[in-house]
Structure formats: structure tokens, C-alpha cells
Amino acid sequence: MFIALTSLLTGRTVKSDTAMTGEISLRGLVLPIGGVKNKVLAAVRAGITTVMLPARNKKDYEDVPEAAREAVRFVWMSTVDDAIEAALEPAAETAGAIASAG
């Protein structure tokens, strides 16, 4: 939800090959979640190439089957700034794409 709103307000598109999960605090910290293994497996089945997870869930990485670990790139987020950087296309690329489409 946060990334969708940030995309709307900044005009930057969300990368289509990226899946993310996590909760954010009012201070912008990304909080840990449950079910990492199942969420990663679902992302792999859906053809996702990048999975963004809370950094506090790194301990759950070993629970993910090796085949799934090799199929996706993991991005570990500590703050919402990490999420924005990894999930949104750079501003210049988005502006160029909009200009060429219009």
C-alpha cells in the first residue's frame, strides 16, 4: 500500500517483476512478518524475480528451499527508504517513458 501511494505521488512506476511484504511503523521502519517460506514459494510460482522482505526476517531465509532461493533475488528492507529504492523505477526513466509515450 505504501509503495502504491508513493508511486502515485511521485509519478514513478513500480517494477513489475517485484513482490514485497512487510509492515511499516509510524517511524518508517519495516517490521518482521510471518510465513516467509510460503510467500517466497508463491512469488516463484508467479514468475517474480525479486522478492523484498523485512531485514528482520533474514533468519527465515534458511527455511526457503534452495531452488526457490536461487530463482529470485532477495532485497532486505530495514526502512521505507529501502523499499522505495528497490521497488520503484528511477525518476529519470519514468519521466523518459512518459515523454516518449505521449
Side-chain angles (χ1 to χ4, degrees):
M1 190 76 127
F2 172 79
I3 291 297
L5 291 173
T6 303
S7 172
L8 178 67
L9 293 172
T10 63
R12 295 170 60 187
T13 58
V14 180
K15 296 176 183 175
S16 62
D17 64 342
T18 302
M20 67 191 81
T21 187
E23 294 183 25
I24 58 171
S25 72
L26 293 175
R27 295 176 185 236
L29 300 176
V30 180
L31 305 175
I33 47 91
V36 169
K37 175 185 170 184
N38 290 330
K39 290 174 182 175
V40 172
L41 291 174
V44 169
R45 282 193 303 270
I48 298 297
T49 60
T50 302
V51 174
M52 298 170 52
L53 296 167
R56 294 182 190 178
N57 282 104
K58 281 187 180 180
K59 63 183 180 345
D60 299 314
Y61 179 78
E62 293 301 321
D63 295 338
V64 177
E66 188 174 341
R69 284 187 268 166
E70 293 173 359
V72 297
R73 178 176 74 96
F74 288 88
V75 175
W76 300 101
M77 306 173 292
S78 296
T79 66
V80 293
D81 291 333
D82 298 334
I84 291 169
E85 182 180 332
L88 298 179
E89 297 288 352
E93 284 185 27
T94 302
I98 293 171
S100 64

